[in-house]
Amino acid sequence: MFINETPLFDYVYGELSKELHDFEEFDSESKQSSLIENPKYSDAEQLAARLISGFEELPRRYQFTFKLNSELSAHFHGHEYKLTDSVRLIRPNAEFTELFPLVSGIPGRDRWLHGGGLLGLVGPKELTGDSLYLQVESHGFVGKWTSTTPEESAVSVLKSVLGTCLAVRAFRQRYVYSPTTIKQRAYIHEWRDNRWRLYDSIELDESVSNIISELVLDDLDGTIDNDQKKRAFLTNRLKLLERAWSDEAINERILLAGKWLLDSYSGKNELLSFVQATVALEILLGEKTVSDLIGLGELLRNRCAYLVGKTHAQRNEILDDFKKIYEIRSKIVHRGKDRLKRHEKDLLYTLRWLVSRVIQEELERIERNA
């Protein structure tokens, strides 16, 4: 699906909105008027023919570039690490910044691209090697003021990558208090006339922006204590992560669970975070035909214990924790709770750890079967 469930409407709306915005033909203060009253759109038949032709020429090709926490760049070895042909981590060099400029040459577009408002004063003018970026290629159509499949897919990939990085302990969350949230922006380049042209930018929501700013390299509780070890460790973790992307169809559950795990870390509502983490486990371990017979909670409980636990004592501890976790989940979903008590917050941390351990075990299984 190149656009979404209402493709023609969203294409026409998004395409015209983009033109009006880029070329400053839209005035929110003016009275309501028909589009064809604008001299540039006065020929309705010609406009309709142009839009239909553009719709038939889809899909278009885009690159979404997401900036990660700048602290990660220092430990990233090399210029590029490809997870798939369409997903890669980048530390920009001169060639890359020339290939993906952050100026379009269209004044109305450039004024708003970096979050600078009418004056266009905020934001970078190029992608720099001081930061690490995740770049995702997507095909379809991206318009203005309408969310379409390429954008939604790219953000979903971002969450899957970051969530899986948390699971394999490549990254950890370092809480930083800030009275305000600076929303992150993703830059969108379109392949046109045999080169990448800056097309637009999107603002990520507050929860995603927060978690991006809080993710730093996991030093395994201080045991990785110098730059050489940190670079080697990150490279090792990325190789592990690459397994999850080696075949997206086969490993769909891991990637989807990574997305839900990230959501569990990024939100401020602990009740919702608890449910999101249990959903991640259900994605990894659930199987509807079997769960209908023996119950989903009991199925997950046993699978998790025997996948993660290495000794009889560990399995019993996991079985006990899992029973408590599902009792809390049931209270949240079926009865409603206003907050998590202290011991329940501890179980949220245990739950996230279990999700991470299951993902790690699944990745090890993929390597053994390769």
Side-chain angles (χ1 to χ4, degrees):
M1 186 182 296
F2 297 136
I3 303 180
N4 54 25
E5 294 179 351
T6 54
L8 183 58
F9 172 83
D10 283 286
Y11 169 75
V12 172
Y13 178 81
E15 183 80 344
L16 291 176
S17 296
K18 188 78 172 72
E19 291 179 6
L20 291 168
H21 182 272
D22 283 352
F23 298 102
E24 303 175 303
E25 297 288 345
F26 176 76
D27 182 3
S28 61
E29 301 297 325
S30 67
K31 65 180 181 66
Q32 186 173 350
S33 60
S34 172
L35 180 66
I36 59 175
E37 292 179 35
N38 185 314
K40 292 184 178 180
Y41 300 94
S42 59
D43 189 332
E45 290 188 7
Q46 184 183 61
L47 174 62
R50 177 168 67 84
L51 290 170
I52 291 172
S53 176
F55 184 75
E56 291 176 339
E57 290 172 358
L58 295 178
R60 297 174 186 172
R61 183 182 172 197
Y62 302 97
Q63 290 279 8
F64 290 77
T65 306
F66 302 92
K67 183 180 178 181
L68 306 182
N69 192 327
S70 57
E71 291 188 30
L72 297 171
S73 176
H75 311 301
F76 185 75
H77 181 69
H79 155 64
E80 172 184 349
Y81 194 98
K82 293 181 69 172
L83 298 175
T84 71
D85 289 338
S86 60
V87 182
R88 59 180 179 165
L89 287 163
I90 293 287
R91 186 171 62 182
N93 56 15
E95 180 182 356
F96 183 85
T97 56
E98 183 177 354
L99 190 62
F100 293 95
L102 289 192
V103 176
S104 71
I106 301 173
R109 179 181 297 182
D110 291 335
R111 182 172 292 115
W112 298 90
L113 277 168
H114 310 297
L118 287 170
L119 298 178
L121 298 176
V122 176
K125 296 304 179 185
E126 65 178 20
L127 303 168
T128 69
D130 295 333
S131 294
L132 187 64
Y133 298 82
L134 178 72
Q135 193 167 63
V136 180
E137 182 169 332
S138 192
H139 295 228
F141 170 73
V142 175
K144 196 72 178 178
W145 297 315
T146 181
S147 181
T148 57
T149 298
E151 176 184 331
E152 294 170 355
S153 175
V155 173
S156 181
V157 169
L158 169 72
K159 289 184 175 183
S160 290
V161 170
L162 297 183
T164 312
C165 281
L166 279 169
V168 301
R169 298 197 69 178
F171 302 159
R172 65 178 175 88
Q173 185 180 25
R174 183 184 64 191
Y175 293 99
V176 178
Y177 171 75
S178 175
T180 59
T181 298
I182 299 175
K183 292 186 177 180
Q184 302 277 356
R185 305 189 77 83
Y187 291 98
I188 308 171
H189 289 80
E190 180 189 11
W191 183 255
R192 185 176 289 270
D193 302 325
N194 294 315
R195 66 187 180 99
W196 290 109
R197 295 177 177 269
L198 184 60
Y199 178 76
D200 208 343
S201 68
I202 56 172
E203 190 176 72
L204 303 180
D205 66 39
E206 183 175 328
S207 63
V208 177
S209 296
N210 274 334
I211 193 69
I212 287 175
S213 68
E214 293 172 347
L215 290 181
V216 296
L217 184 72
D218 194 330
D219 61 1
L220 301 186
D221 302 318
T223 58
I224 303 176
D225 53 6
N226 63 58
D227 290 342
Q228 184 177 358
K229 287 182 179 179
K230 289 176 180 179
R231 283 193 294 270
F233 175 70
L234 181 57
T235 299
N236 174 272
R237 296 294 89 185
L238 290 177
K239 288 180 179 178
L240 186 63
L241 181 66
E242 190 178 358
R243 296 174 201 158
W245 293 88
S246 59
D247 189 322
E248 293 182 47
I250 294 175
N251 304 322
E252 182 180 2
R253 290 197 302 176
I254 295 174
L255 302 177
L256 189 56
K259 177 179 179 295
W260 279 88
L261 178 62
L262 186 84
D263 286 336
S264 173
Y265 275 98
S266 63
K268 294 181 179 179
N269 185 323
E270 291 179 328
L271 296 173
L272 179 58
S273 293
F274 201 101
V275 173
Q276 288 167 329
T278 57
V279 169
L281 262 187
E282 290 168 6
I283 291 168
L284 290 165
L285 300 172
E287 185 177 326
K288 189 176 190 311
T289 55
V290 179
S291 65
D292 285 346
L293 294 174
I294 66 174
L296 181 61
E298 191 65 21
L299 171 69
L300 266 63
R301 183 170 174 252
N302 284 281
R303 283 186 171 176
C304 188
Y306 283 88
L307 182 63
V308 175
K310 301 305 180 185
T311 66
H312 183 71
Q314 287 177 345
R315 292 187 187 114
N316 282 338
E317 184 178 358
I318 292 171
L319 288 169
D320 183 55
D321 284 340
F322 210 99
K323 182 178 179 181
K324 296 174 183 176
I325 285 168
Y326 252 72
E327 287 174 353
I328 296 170
R329 173 195 178 276
S330 179
K331 290 178 182 178
I332 295 172
V333 174
H334 299 296
R335 293 189 232 167
K337 282 176 64 70
D338 60 346
R339 63 186 177 87
L340 291 180
K341 297 178 182 179
R342 183 169 182 175
H343 75 279
E344 294 172 335
K345 293 180 182 181
D346 292 339
L347 282 171
L348 173 58
Y349 298 130
T350 300
L351 175 55
R352 289 171 176 160
W353 177 82
L354 286 172
V355 174
S356 298
R357 287 291 296 117
V358 171
I359 289 176
Q360 292 169 25
E361 289 294 328
E362 286 295 317
L363 293 177
E364 293 293 341
R365 179 187 57 79
I366 291 170
E367 183 180 39
R368 290 193 298 269
N369 294 337

